[in-house]
Amino acid sequence: EIGIASVSAAAHLFPLKLKSSTIIQDQGMHLKLLLVESSKKASSSNEKKKGSEEEEFDPLAPETAEKTLIIRDSVFEEKYAILLNKFPVFAGHSLLVARGSSTQMPPQNAVLTRQDLDALHRCALAARAIAFYNSHPEAGSSQPHRHFQFVPMASIDTKHKPPIYSALDSLEPEIWRWSSKAPYVPIVRRLPAFNEIEHGIVKLPD
């Protein structure tokens, strides 16, 4: 479905140009660093018109997004929509977008809710993708409208697992367990390689 939508919207997509690719090793993980050129079209995508009307324009709201970018305008109990990323880094780069006005939802830097995680997990499973969440401009976030991203694994690298897998493989397998009593919840673990970063690791069902 993402592939078909990408082909149909090809003339409306502006893939970011890759400048360089470097492999580094850190904390036992092999990381692939990609440097892409910034897009003037991306930085000016909301500057189609001037005045107060433009200030209210929301390119990620399903009601105002470019129709060619919409994969599904309503999913998961009509709380989200799925759009193509207009400025993709990889083929099939897509967005899970919260439906509604950005002024009536949690800000982009708010903590993910259980509902957010469930929806993003379902997208990742269905598309066999890596899902991620940029919550700050330093991480690449440029839109206030609450949204999450996912990229099909086949578009990234078919030869290697994501770098974090090596850190996960170093943990004892028995730690991947859930609480023994209802309501069943995963037990949160931490990775030694990320001691300086606030994080939690759980295993979700396949």
Side-chain angles (χ1 to χ4, degrees), residues 7-133:
V7 171
S8 299
H12 302 271
L13 302 179
F14 300 93
L16 299 183
K17 186 177 179 180
L18 180 64
K19 293 179 65 176
S20 64
S21 176
T22 307
I23 302 292
I24 67 171
Q25 185 169 348
D26 184 50
Q27 300 286 346
M29 294 181 288
H30 291 277
L31 306 175
K32 187 174 185 179
L33 302 183
L34 304 178
L35 180 63
V36 298
E37 293 183 353
S38 61
S39 171
K40 292 182 179 179
K41 288 187 175 66
S43 61
S44 62
S45 61
N46 296 335
E47 296 178 1
K48 297 178 182 177
K49 49 187 177 179
K50 305 289 184 179
S52 58
E53 192 175 332
E54 171 60 21
E55 294 176 1
E56 299 176 359
F57 177 70
D58 183 350
L60 297 187
E63 299 79 12
T64 54
E66 294 182 40
K67 300 306 179 186
T68 53
L69 302 181
I70 298 176
I71 299 175
R72 293 194 184 186
D73 62 2
S74 180
V75 292
F76 310 138
E77 299 179 351
E78 301 184 352
K79 298 187 185 310
Y80 301 90
I82 299 176
L83 281 62
L84 289 172
N85 190 329
K86 185 177 180 68
F87 306 97
V89 179
F90 299 100
H93 191 166
S94 303
L95 305 176
L96 174 67
V97 178
R99 287 177 54 84
S101 169
S102 59
T103 61
Q104 300 175 339
M105 64 181 65
Q108 181 66 4
N109 62 355
V111 175
L112 274 74
T113 65
R114 182 169 184 169
Q115 188 177 63
D116 293 333
L117 287 170
D118 177 65
L120 195 55
H121 178 223
R122 290 163 71 179
C123 285
L125 282 180
R128 298 184 63 82
I130 289 181
F132 56 98
Y133 174 47

